[in-house]
Amino acid sequence: MASKAVYSHRDPMLKKRDDFEDILEERRNSSDLRYALKCYTPVVYKGISPCKADALTNMVLQSSHLHYVISQVSKETGRAVDDVQDEASAILEEMAQRLQLSTIRFFAFTLSKVFKTLFRSICVNEEGIQRLQQAIQEHPVVLLPSHRSYMDFLLMSYLLYTYDLALPVIAAGMDFMGMKFVGEMLRMSGAFFIRRSFGGDKLYWAVFSEYVKTMLKNGYAPVEFFLEGTRSRTSKSLTPKLGLLNIVMDPFFKGEVFDMSLVPVSISYERILEESLYAREMLGVPKPKESTSGLFKARKVLSQNYGSIHVYFGQPVSLRSLAEGRVNRSQFSLVPRHIPKRPSEEIQNFVNDSAYMLVRAQEENMVLKPWVLLASLLLQNHHQSQAPGQKPGMALDELTERVVWLRDLSRQFTVVPEIQETLYLRGDVGPKESRSADTTPEEELLSRAVIVLSCASYRNQALHVFLRPALLALAIHAAASTKKREVFYSFSFLRNMFSNEFILVPGATVQDFEEACYLLVKTGALQITQQEVLVTERGHRTIVFLTSMLDPFLQGYQVVCRFLCEEATEELTEKQFIPSIRRFIIKHLLAGRLRYTEVLSSDLQKNALAALLRLGAVQKLKGVDQGTLKVNTVMVNSLEDTLGGKLPTQKVVVARL
Amino acid sequence: MASNSSGGSSDRQRIAQQRLRVIAGHLQRPVDGDSAVLAAEYKAQGEQPGSSREEKTVPRRRQEIMKWNGWGYSDSRFFFNKKGQAEFTGKRYKLSGLIIPALKDWFESTFGASLQHKTPATPILNSSAVHPPTLNETFVEELKSTGIPFSHDAEDRVFRAHGHCLHEIFALREGKFGRVPDMVIWPNCHNDVVKVVELASKHNVCLIPYGGGTSVSSALECPPEETRSIVSLDTSQMNHILWIDEKNLTAHVEAGIVGQDLERLLNESGYCTGHEPDSMEFSSLGGWVATRASGMKKNIYGNIEDLVVHIKMVTPRGVIEKSCQGPRMSTGPDIHHFIMGSEGTLGVVTEVTMKIRPMPEYQKYGSVVFPNFEQGVACLREVARQRCAPASIRLMDNEQFKFGHALKPQVSSIFTSFLDGLKKFYITKFKGFDPNRLCVATLLFEGDRERVLQHEKQVYDIAAKFGGLAAGEDNGQRGYMLTFVIAYLRDLGMDYYVIGESFETSVPWDRVLDICQNVKERIVRECKDKGVQFPPLSTCRVTQTYDAGACVYFYFAFNYRGLSDPVHVYEQVEHAAREEILANGGSLSHHHGVGKLRKEWMRETVSSVGLGMLKSVKDFVDPNNIFGNRNLL
């Protein structure tokens, strides 16, 4: 039942893809001012107890949860209760939103202007809006948009205002607060600010969680936050962060609300505003601190065309049906509900699985633009043409043929993926070859890498469509034989290895394997018998395409392993990891020992390290040498060999995994 | 009763009667006669009020006075007369013979039911449809020699094959009988029971104790898998008060006595137990002990576990009882707690010593209207915190308030109806209460007059702090009346496609509001999911308060037109509602017991070790499962 709710659109019999409507069209034809001043009367939650933003903070400060934590902190630290109480008020002051309709109207006006210049169209599935409207009335709603750009939450509020829906309160990172004027503007449009890290700060956690829960329970407003925690720099979904999801689910577990609707929202940009910034950031050019003047300088983006945006409001997921049979809520009846308690393993697993499900739902409702497919093909071609004896580039009609082939393939993988038919030319991005005489090879490499990484971020948008079949293709490639069992071992190894890189629901190896098999058999690329997995004659092309899609990642992880074995010294700390591996990779790239410029991506390197830490091949030392990495050379070595297909999987690692 | 006690009995009776007159004097109010009725008057009286003391309510042949396929007395029932007005028949109740004009509209609008669509019950109990008894001949032979009366008449057996769960009554109305006991035995005293249990053990016969038959937990259902002869041990003839000890304020009573007889007989001596469960007209003392019953006035008198001083129970291992009547003992775990709540799985409770109190001098009803349920709960919590709860305090939600209102009998004078209109205007228009949100707390004060009035003021003062307005005795009384006629009302509903039932739980204070809201919503949602065509009635009241929590009572009913298997749907919804209760920190049961209906949740409720403890007690006391009703474990 639960998974059906999330994945319902995967069943072609159940649902045809909703239609999109362009909301900018009306904006181009009527007055923005009148729009900004329109009568705004959203439907609200039926159980709402209306209150002002100030009343909200009072409720939080008077909650028994906060009282409990305050007295606990006061006992532990020996500070006076009043003192701690003041601190709590200060935290809340710093955090709280001050949603004001006038600010929203201001944004409605200015954003209309901005959006019209920047974007060709903003398309929204109106059926999703209707479902959301229904959901808002019945239960507290949590909005979970994908996060690719700073634009996301302004856009969300803008859309909800446009459709006369209740405006959300949005969890935003504290970094925005640094932008003096803008921070306050965002606050008045419903943003509340949370510190990026507050690890052991009990009081902060209590204030924060109580604040979110109070808004949610009272139906004050839909709560919006980003499951991915931060903007994805690579355009592929990030593995979900669980903190806030834990908090919002808590009132349901404790019976304080009957149910809750979790609404995944997929925002697909044709071109992301921060595109080149991201690439530079991943290559080690630090990102500029958010500041108002920075924003002002960034206005030059206004002169560019960023294509269209598609926003898909997914099927609201009922938390109650999701938890049905998985969470025994009576476990919360033995401790008073206001006393904070570490969630049980059962709850943690449930929250984790739900988070993955929701991120997958976001992925699946993404709209694939044709450029994405094009980018995938061009990148592969680019890498192949790096090999000696190949001439660079590709004829236009050959490219067209391949794109059409790929479109058909991806249509078979997802049921009805939204792939736009129109293809228009873009002049500004792409693997252009530009060579000037007075740059060092290293600088040249980096500037090329910026382009490759930008390009990869387009390819990444399509990754989730091909991910499972691609893992299978890779597994077939790596497995010692065509025996189904061995292919599965190999699949399971790769899947485990890459589970920090891609969205792979924990514990769903068998389902993923079966899904991949099903899809590849359906497209005719594979024949699967009881015992064996065989690639068909005409499936070769598909398999090659799929393997090369993941190839950069495979090589990237191998390089990380090699670096750790060869270069890691006793003193290597987590902080130094990225700079030193970057030097290592640049050296190898320049020497021509590596094929993929993409492995320079710090995102990939971090993910690889996280995977190794998770597998126990690398350990982070605690205590005096905080953050020092201790490498288990034997294990890392064997992982590298397995990734390279030199060692059969099941013997080495699977046993340990 | 008094026949067993000492010589001063006639003297005592005279004093008691005098006191009764005094009390009655207090209660008579010249102006508003209609509102000064005692709840006791809503309960039925025995055959003839004030009849001789040997006259008991429950005869051996229950069919002489009671319905075989519905609640209560044969002569008392609701029906819609030719004009479409609801009427209550008979002479037993205050409501008897009265017209209830608002009930039809409430009924039709709440359930979407119509008087055109009837579902009449099978009129006659068809004895030939009852399975012939499986008798254990040697047991019957030996039983005959003891002279204890018994019967294998089909009607007698059918009467003892069920309690009052919806599915049980529904089946009876359709003329369907499952497994019924093979014979019924009426022991007359403790020693008779000892003989019967000995014989049953000797011949391996299954015994199911039967008291008042008011169970709502499937506890009386014969296990269909039982192959032995099933004997229903009806305690109804063991109904004497054996002695009253005025020095210690205790009474020693046979366990088969039903509540109304116990109170009436004690009242004759100027005493009462104060134990008044809603079923007290028919439920028996033994049944209260076996299910851990709770009474409406527990705030003054306590629940059954507080009232019981000594229990005698006959088990297959022999008789269990304590050696003295000390008010409290530290002698290991209290063996009474193995007996209380044992639900007939260990033996038959035959005699009980109970605490008694002098009858209260003064009784007064009251009610408070709150703008919403939240405020009402907050007020009850405060009352509990200050430990000043009146004999009874209950908070009905908006739906139940309207339900109670629909039961208002026709008013005789224009003046009263004018007053009602004025009251309504004051509350909704002047005070601005939303008629679809307001709720009402009903109160019952008891004690000496001074103290009652003082107490009343204290409670009303607290209520005022939570926005409560005193709303008169009349409203209060009607609230209590609802609990006595609800079961009759269910029979009326069942004549018109409406089925329903009540269930209860206990829950800590901080969860009261959430549990009420979530369970009610769960019921509505489940009904919708299961294809019920009409919105259900889903209502609750906070019916008891404790220091650490409250007892919440739910009513749930729906119109089943268009459903092929309404009972199954009903059971699914009830099951879901119980799951919801448990998920919200509620208990499996506050006073209805577990029976077979709620058995599946016992392990999670008391833990595996707890269940093992209970099992090992059962294994020791009754290794051959003579008391084989399979309740609880």
Side-chain angles (χ1 to χ4, degrees), chain A residues 335-364:
Chain A
V335 177
R337 291 181 291 178
H338 65 269
I339 296 181
K341 226 177 106 186
R342 247 191 99 71
S344 66
E345 202 175 324
E346 183 194 9
I347 298 286
Q348 282 176 4
N349 288 338
F350 171 74
V351 174
N352 190 37
D353 289 358
S354 309
Y356 272 90
M357 251 176 192
L358 289 160
V359 174
R360 270 201 77 181
Q362 284 175 357
E363 279 186 331
E364 279 163 19

Side-chain angles (χ1 to χ4, degrees), chain B residues 197-474:
Chain B
V197 173
E198 266 169 15
L199 285 182
S201 304
K202 183 172 163 196
H203 299 288
N204 197 22
V205 164
C206 172
L207 286 180
I208 298 185
Y210 180 93
T214 57
S215 140
V216 282
S217 58
S218 300
L220 287 167
E221 255 175 30
C222 298
E225 65 270 35
E226 181 60 68
T227 53
R228 297 172 294 183
S229 179
I230 299 180
V231 173
S232 176
L233 194 151
D234 184 330
T235 59
S236 65
Q237 304 312 302
M238 297 165 42
N239 52 11
H240 304 92
I241 295 179
L242 298 178
W243 45 256
I244 294 177
D245 177 348
E246 288 176 292
K247 292 209 175 73
N248 294 308
L249 286 178
T250 53
H252 192 65
V253 190
E254 287 185 316
I257 195 166
V258 294
Q260 58 167 316
D261 286 351
L262 178 62
E263 286 310 284
R264 196 183 66 243
L265 294 172
L266 285 173
N267 288 358
E268 283 172 15
S269 320
Y271 293 103
C272 67
T273 61
H275 185 68
E276 296 187 11
D278 292 351
S279 62
M280 69 172 290
E281 292 172 83
F282 305 105
S283 57
S284 69
L285 171 56
W288 301 337
V289 171
T291 55
R292 298 180 63 88
S294 167
M296 160 179 125
K297 299 194 289 196
K298 72 98 194 151
N299 292 336
I300 295 184
Y301 301 97
N303 287 319
I304 195 74
E305 67 271 20
D306 311 308
L307 286 164
V308 157
V309 176
H310 184 269
I311 305 173
K312 205 188 263 187
M313 178 166 81
V314 182
T315 76
R317 282 269 177 191
V319 176
I320 174 173
E321 62 179 321
K322 291 185 187 172
S323 66
C324 66
Q325 311 240 23
R328 184 183 186 272
M329 300 183 195
S330 173
T331 48
D334 191 340
I335 55 159
H336 282 171
H337 287 289
F338 290 117
I339 299 170
M340 285 189 286
S342 61
E343 304 194 357
T345 57
L346 299 178
V348 192
V349 177
T350 54
E351 289 170 18
V352 177
T353 308
M354 269 184 107
K355 297 181 197 167
I356 55 172
R357 300 290 306 164
M359 281 176 71
E361 175 194 317
Y362 187 63
Q363 240 189 357
K364 192 174 183 193
Y365 286 95
S367 65
V368 181
V369 180
F370 292 98
N372 55 46
F373 194 65
E374 290 79 359
Q375 296 278 70
V377 171
C379 172
L380 260 65
R381 205 281 160 264
E382 185 56 32
V383 167
R385 196 197 312 271
Q386 296 192 19
R387 288 202 172 163
C388 65
S392 169
I393 178 166
R394 289 175 172 179
L395 180 75
M396 301 192 279
D397 69 359
N398 185 262
E399 289 82 8
Q400 211 163 117
F401 168 68
K402 288 177 180 164
F403 187 7
H405 230 68
L407 288 173
K408 228 173 179 172
Q410 202 159 33
V411 278
S412 38
S413 79
I414 304 170
F415 181 65
T416 8
S417 77
F418 172 73
L419 268 185
D420 283 348
L422 211 61
K423 263 188 247 164
K424 192 175 167 189
F425 178 83
Y426 176 72
I427 287 175
T428 59
K429 295 292 179 318
F430 189 71
K431 281 290 175 178
F433 284 18
D434 178 352
N436 291 313
R437 294 200 67 203
L438 62 81
C439 70
V440 62
T442 60
L443 310 165
L444 172 62
F445 298 91
E446 233 181 63
D448 62 65
R449 196 182 152 85
E450 285 286 291
R451 291 251 283 279
V452 162
L453 295 176
Q454 206 182 337
H455 193 177
E456 192 185 20
K457 184 175 181 308
Q458 185 185 10
V459 172
Y460 283 129
D461 284 350
I462 295 174
K465 279 187 205 140
F466 296 90
L469 294 175
E473 295 182 55
D474 192 21

Side-chain angles (χ1 to χ4, degrees), chain A residues 255 259 320 329 332 337, chain B residues 510-511 514 518 525 580 582:
Chain A
D259 196 359
R320 177 173 275 267
R329 285 181 290 152
F332 294 96
R337 291 181 291 178
Chain B
D510 74 311
R511 281 181 175 268
D514 291 329
N518 289 347
R525 192 193 258 213
E580 191 64 31
L582 297 176

Side-chain angles (χ1 to χ4, degrees), chain A residues 432-484:
Chain A
K432 290 180 290 188
E433 297 290 321
S434 63
R435 219 174 272 259
S436 54
D438 51 348
T439 50
T440 64
E442 190 177 327
E443 277 166 0
E444 191 195 310
L445 175 71
L446 282 177
S447 73
R448 203 152 23 118
V450 169
I451 296 166
V452 170
L453 284 188
S454 305
C455 206
S457 81
Y458 286 87
R459 177 209 57 204
N460 285 348
Q461 291 177 36
L463 260 179
H464 68 268
V465 176
F466 301 104
L467 177 61
R468 276 148 271 266
L471 281 174
L472 180 59
L474 218 54
I476 292 170
H477 194 70
S481 72
T482 55
K483 288 243 170 59
K484 196 174 173 181

Side-chain angles (χ1 to χ4, degrees), chain B residues 36-67:
Chain B
V37 199
L38 272 169
E41 292 178 55
Y42 283 113
K43 296 165 216 159
Q45 296 301 312
E47 289 291 75
Q48 300 139 314
S51 61
S52 94
R53 37 196 141 100
E54 292 309 321
E55 199 90 44
K56 293 290 162 37
T57 306
V58 189
R60 225 148 70 186
R61 291 181 60 78
R62 301 174 78 85
Q63 48 272 50
E64 286 165 8
I65 58 160
M66 280 185 229
K67 294 194 194 87

Side-chain angles (χ1 to χ4, degrees), chain A residues 45-46 138-139 253-259 318 320-321 324 328-330 332-333 335-337, chain B residues 508 510-512 514-515 517-519 521-523 525-526 528 579-580 582-586 604:
Chain A
Y45 171 49
K46 62 172 190 236
E138 282 174 6
H139 301 294
F253 293 146
K254 292 183 174 165
E256 291 167 329
V257 295
F258 181 76
D259 196 359
S318 148
R320 177 173 275 267
S321 35
E324 176 90 53
N328 180 4
R329 285 181 290 152
S330 61
F332 294 96
S333 51
V335 177
R337 291 181 291 178
Chain B
D510 74 311
R511 281 181 175 268
V512 170
D514 291 329
I515 208 171
Q517 200 180 327
N518 289 347
V519 172
E521 184 152 358
R522 179 75 182 263
I523 288 172
R525 192 193 258 213
E526 290 288 331
K528 206 166 152 195
E579 293 272 349
E580 191 64 31
L582 297 176
N584 283 274
E604 66 174 285

